[in-house]
Amino acid sequence: MSALKIKKGSSKHSAYNLRPQFSDVQETHTLAVLVENEPGVLARVIGLFSGRGYNIDSLTVAEVDHQGHLSRITIVTTGTPQVIEQIKAQLGRIVPVHDVHDLTVEGRSVERELALLKVAGLGDKRVEALRLADIFRAQVVDSTLESFVFQLTGTPDKIDAFADLMRPLGLIEIARTGVAALARGT
């Protein structure tokens, strides 16, 4: 009988999987959290993130059911799969939280963000800013002789791309709403 040639750890033939199941790959997830619309709830949700050193890339909050006193918090965060699972579990344990959905995992979703961008420029830079705004379907919502304020709705990547193109043309200021997201379908 020959000796078994099994490497340290495990193989697909081993009864024990000794390989670590943890991933160090950072993933971005969009979480939709339905909460009671009452004072202090947002602070408790955000406290969960700050107290454990988790980062919030985007945060939007709005009341979605006036009679039911419910608000929806949409959070975009980055972490390993284990960290994301831990965040969802801890959010679910907070008392005023009704529901937690990971829109990234649950299927396709629609994500949009609104941005206002103030761009100052004269001459050719002004014409180029208007041309690019037309390509990106940005609307001019304010105009002076020295500047424009553009309104742009789209994915965060689209807004980032537009802002990158506007910087050399005189981008002065940008305001973003954060991501609003809904799952597609029924």
Side-chain angles (χ1 to χ4, degrees), residues 20 34-35 48 54 57 61 87 89 108 118 148 181:
L34 195 62
V35 299
L48 181 145
Y54 303 146
D57 299 326
V61 184
I87 289 170
R108 296 177 36 168
K118 186 185 292 184
F148 289 111

Side-chain angles (χ1 to χ4, degrees), residues 116-184:
L116 297 174
L117 300 96
K118 186 185 292 184
V119 179
L122 300 170
D124 289 342
K125 286 187 176 184
R126 189 173 173 90
V127 172
E128 181 65 10
L130 283 171
R131 189 184 69 74
L132 288 170
D134 187 48
I135 291 170
F136 278 82
R137 294 190 174 107
Q139 299 171 324
V140 177
V141 292
D142 184 56
S143 178
T144 67
L145 293 175
E146 300 86 27
S147 68
F148 289 111
V149 174
F150 295 108
Q151 174 183 297
L152 180 63
T153 304
T155 64
D157 290 339
K158 178 182 177 180
I159 292 171
D160 290 340
F162 185 68
D164 289 344
L165 291 171
M166 288 295 135
R167 277 189 181 84
L169 299 176
L171 179 65
I172 297 172
E173 192 175 357
I174 184 169
R176 296 174 78 151
T177 60
V179 174
L182 285 175
R184 293 189 68 186

Side-chain angles (χ1 to χ4, degrees), residues 15-71:
Y16 302 100
N17 188 358
L18 302 176
R19 290 185 185 146
Q21 296 297 314
F22 303 110
S23 171
D24 58 352
V25 176
Q26 295 286 313
E27 299 175 347
T28 300
H29 285 252
T30 303
L31 306 176
V33 185
L34 195 62
V35 299
E36 290 287 330
N37 187 13
E38 58 187 39
V41 174
L42 180 60
R44 290 175 68 186
V45 169
I46 302 313
L48 181 145
F49 282 81
S50 65
R52 289 161 181 80
Y54 303 146
N55 189 42
I56 295 175
D57 299 326
S58 174
L59 174 73
T60 57
V61 184
E63 186 176 50
V64 293
D65 183 358
H66 187 67
Q67 290 180 340
H69 302 288
L70 296 175
S71 289

Side-chain angles (χ1 to χ4, degrees), residues 78-104:
T78 304
T80 63
Q82 294 77 25
V83 167
I84 300 297
E85 287 303 317
Q86 185 177 15
I87 289 170
K88 292 189 302 189
Q90 290 170 347
L91 280 171
R93 279 188 234 128
I94 296 175
V95 172
V97 172
H98 287 270
D99 214 358
V100 179
H101 290 282
D102 187 344
L103 297 176
T104 306

